[in-house]
Amino acid sequence: MAMSYARVLSCLLIGSGLAWSPNVFAQCSADGSRCVAAVSSTTTPGAQANRTATVMPNTATRLLGWVEYNRIECTGVSGTWTVNTPPTRGTTSTEIVMRPLSNGDCPGVQFPFNFIVYTWTDADEKNLTDAFDATWASPSFTQPEHFDITRAHVEVQSVDLANTGDVVLNLFGPTGSTGTVTATFSGTPVSAAPQTTATSFGPGSATVRIDRPALRKSVYNKLTVTWNLSPTPLTTKHKPARNWNVLGVVRYSQYNSPYESECGATTSNVFVVDSLTACNFTATTLRSRFARQVNLNGTGISISHGTLKAGAATTLATSCAGRFPPGATEDNSYLQVADVRGACNVPLVADSSLATARHYGVPCSGPIELVATDNTHFGGRVRHDTCPACSGDFNGTEGHIDHYSSAQACTSNGVGDLGNYWSIRN
């Protein structure tokens, strides 16, 4: 009568091109003459333990091999496999592989290990797992086995183009497999050139950093990731919940609110108005260059009267009609306001607010992330204003956006550009 094998051996997945395990040992019968040895895809000890393996599609993979041998006569019996519950995604077969023992018994003698072999044949890439049960039996031993199979594949866990540029992957492959990763973004009007890592990755979690400045201006709606295993690369496609709206490398000029303190000493006679309801006009002076800049830009920071808005840029003429003192006009009158506001009618935030051309497609309060040319995250900005001149003057980049600066200067000419940054709508 055959005895049930009560202890499974230390094991290693055996597949095409893989090395044999150095830790194969034997379990013997009570009299010590009849023994079994195994090579397996799991390191879990114990009889009837679940065996796990990740296999390449359409590739025959040896999962588990058993042999019974006589340690005195050094003869072996390969036994037979019976598939009790067949797999649904692939097929099974058996293969006799001659190899020596590694536990010290019968040195130099080759024994006929009988392997159960699995081939994944299902073409539907949505199916990722399979399972089956089989029993190996020899004249003296019987061993039932359960196998859980995973098809080798790639999963995209997350894509962060706005902050880190990282694509986080889960790579499912056979033990010992390695390969580089290629990422390709597709979109309209252009698709990006493929980017392949210099590093090879094995099974498990992998983080791939995208060279974002290499992504041209486009609306990208798909990411294709290929794990370059040999001989069969594994590919997956990922669609974002919202398209990646890449603005490309953009020139960021800068504008500011003029500061009277930086505008020279020559003054002009003007009127300052406290509000559009009280309409109290105060005759005073402002530095002439500052007054001109406020008339040009709309708002400025005065030395003595706080934030002022050009009267011509408000409803002063109608709101205070009939209450203008002699000599006061909307062109030489300036309204006291609580803050500086742009075309979106929200307060501008220094070193955060942006002004874009109307056709640029960024709505008011629309966020934009900036990335330096070395691929590091520079920071987030928000559109609060409109820049009519930003439809041109790209200076060799793919766009032009005006950045509201905290610089205390009389004109933006003294501020200079922020620089060129790769940008994406967030």
Side-chain angles (χ1 to χ4, degrees):
M1 179 180 294
M3 293 178 290
S4 178
Y5 178 55
R7 186 177 174 193
V8 178
L9 314 172
S10 293
C11 311
L12 176 71
L13 173 65
I14 297 299
S16 177
L18 297 180
W20 293 101
S21 168
N23 298 313
V24 177
F25 354 16
Q27 174 73 20
C28 298
S29 59
D31 64 8
S33 63
R34 293 164 296 163
C35 304
V36 287
V39 178
S40 169
S41 62
T42 176
T43 57
T44 304
Q48 301 182 37
N50 288 358
R51 311 286 183 172
T52 60
T54 301
V55 302
M56 296 294 289
N58 303 309
T59 302
T61 302
R62 300 171 187 153
L63 297 179
L64 174 65
W66 285 97
V67 69
E68 177 184 338
Y69 68 97
N70 186 306
R71 69 190 310 184
I72 298 172
E73 299 176 358
C74 290
T75 57
V77 177
S78 60
T80 59
W81 282 99
T82 300
V83 177
N84 309 110
T85 305
T88 58
R89 311 292 183 199
T91 61
T92 61
S93 60
T94 59
E95 180 184 3
I96 304 299
V97 179
M98 301 299 293
R99 60 145 295 159
L101 302 173
S102 60
N103 64 338
D105 285 349
C106 303
V109 178
Q110 299 281 328
F111 288 91
F113 281 78
N114 192 347
F115 275 85
I116 186 80
V117 179
Y118 175 88
T119 303
W120 184 289
T121 58
D122 192 341
D124 189 344
E125 294 187 355
K126 295 179 182 178
N127 297 324
L128 299 176
T129 60
D130 200 1
F132 69 96
D133 296 284
T135 301
W136 176 82
S138 69
S140 304
F141 296 89
T142 299
Q143 177 61 33
E145 300 283 359
H146 175 79
F147 298 91
D148 288 314
I149 308 296
T150 299
R151 180 177 63 80
H153 64 283
V154 178
E155 293 180 354
V156 177
Q157 294 299 300
S158 63
V159 181
D160 183 3
L161 289 183
N163 296 289
T164 64
D166 288 346
V167 176
V168 180
L169 307 170
N170 276 342
L171 305 177
F172 296 84
T175 302
S177 58
T178 62
T180 59
V181 172
T182 300
T184 306
F185 287 86
S186 302
T188 303
V190 299
S191 294
Q195 297 187 22
T196 300
T197 63
T199 303
S200 290
F201 298 90
S205 180
T207 299
V208 174
R209 180 151 295 177
I210 300 299
D211 180 14
R212 291 169 288 179
L215 298 181
R216 296 284 309 279
K217 180 179 180 180
S218 191
V219 178
Y220 296 100
N221 58 11
K222 183 174 65 177
L223 168 63
T224 301
V225 176
T226 300
W227 187 17
N228 299 302
L229 297 185
S230 178
T232 307
L234 300 174
T235 297
T236 189
K237 300 182 189 301
H238 173 77
K239 284 185 172 292
R242 186 180 60 179
N243 292 341
W244 297 291
N245 194 331
V246 172
L247 304 178
V249 177
V250 175
R251 174 202 172 193
Y252 283 85
S253 57
Q254 293 197 100
Y255 70 113
N256 69 318
S257 295
Y259 278 75
E260 185 180 12
S261 59
E262 306 301 315
C263 289
T266 304
T267 61
S268 299
N269 294 322
V270 300
F271 291 87
V272 172
V273 187
D274 61 351
S275 73
L276 293 176
T277 53
C279 296
N280 293 313
F281 286 73
T282 300
T284 185
T285 61
L286 293 175
R287 294 184 179 182
S288 302
R289 193 178 178 205
F290 171 72
R292 290 195 299 271
Q293 287 300 313
V294 173
N295 289 337
L296 178 65
N297 294 313
T299 313
I301 314 300
S302 71
I303 296 173
S304 303
H305 305 285
T307 303
L308 298 178
K309 193 172 185 68
T314 70
T315 61
L316 183 67
T318 55
S319 297
C320 295
R323 288 185 279 182
F324 278 65
T329 68
E330 65 174 356
D331 292 325
N332 67 0
S333 298
Y334 300 85
L335 179 68
Q336 291 179 310
V337 293
D339 46 46
V340 180
R341 293 181 176 241
C344 296
N345 197 31
V346 295
L348 296 185
V349 180
D351 301 323
S352 177
S353 294
L354 298 175
T356 69
R358 294 186 184 277
H359 70 271
Y360 215 59
V362 181
C364 286
S365 299
I368 297 176
E369 296 295 329
L370 281 64
V371 174
T373 54
D374 65 357
N375 207 26
T376 57
H377 183 242
F378 181 78
R381 302 291 190 268
V382 182
R383 188 222 160 181
H384 289 149
D385 206 354
T386 298
C387 172
C390 287
S391 57
D393 295 331
F394 290 4
N395 287 3
T397 68
E398 295 184 278
H400 181 190
I401 294 177
D402 220 8
H403 177 261
Y404 183 61
S405 172
S406 60
Q408 296 187 14
C410 186
T411 72
S412 59
N413 292 335
V415 179
D417 279 10
L418 181 68
N420 297 338
Y421 293 91
W422 183 88
S423 305
I424 183 172
R425 285 182 54 187
N426 203 0

